[in-house]
Amino acid sequence: MTIADKDRALLALLSENARMPVAELARKLGLSRTTVQARIERLEADGVISGYGLRLSESYLSGLVRAHVLITIGPKALPGVTAALAAIKEVTTLHSVSGTFDLIAILAAPSILDLDRLIDRIGALDGVERTLSSIILSTRISR
């Protein structure tokens, strides 16, 4: 899918603040309000924009203990492990990756104790062969 430079700029502005008024977007892009509204509607219709989300503040996130958990799974275990991880609300993101591990789960828990229990729970899932965890100390860049 080819996207125009102005559309890329529009997407960048929306990724910074999805609630930015169309008039402000138009001013920053040097376009008319109706042109920007039409571009947004086209990007939504084309599936480039699939929705708008919530970005939590760093002060809120700093109250949580977050970790990356690298997961090795057994053969043909991906659907079952994925479904089990999807049911755990503390799993905020799950990536399928290449290399030694098969999955990377991003977790957020209210305490180290909760995180420890959660990692044990993941390690005990049917199909999970091994995990390796790293606690996130700080986030340097988040886009």
Side-chain angles (χ1 to χ4, degrees), residues 1-4 7 38-50:
M1 177 179 298
T2 304
I3 297 177
D7 288 337
R39 283 178 180 264
I40 291 171
E41 290 171 3
R42 183 179 43 75
L43 290 167
E44 289 171 343
D46 290 348
V48 174
I49 298 174
S50 63

Side-chain angles (χ1 to χ4, degrees), residues 78-105:
L78 182 61
V81 171
T82 299
L85 291 171
I88 300 172
K89 67 177 174 55
E90 294 88 354
V91 176
T92 61
T93 308
L94 183 64
H95 301 282
S96 180
V97 296
S98 64
T100 307
F101 293 91
D102 302 301
L103 300 169
I104 299 176

Side-chain angles (χ1 to χ4, degrees), residues 72-131:
T72 300
I73 60 175
K76 300 182 182 179
L78 182 61
V81 171
T82 299
L85 291 171
I88 300 172
K89 67 177 174 55
E90 294 88 354
V91 176
T92 61
T93 308
L94 183 64
H95 301 282
S96 180
V97 296
S98 64
T100 307
F101 293 91
D102 302 301
L103 300 169
I104 299 176
I106 311 299
L107 313 179
S111 70
I112 292 287
L113 179 62
D114 291 323
L115 181 64
D116 185 42
R117 289 179 180 154
L118 185 57
I119 292 167
D120 288 345
R121 181 175 164 196
I122 291 170
L125 292 175
D126 286 337
V128 172
E129 293 181 349
R130 182 172 65 130
T131 64

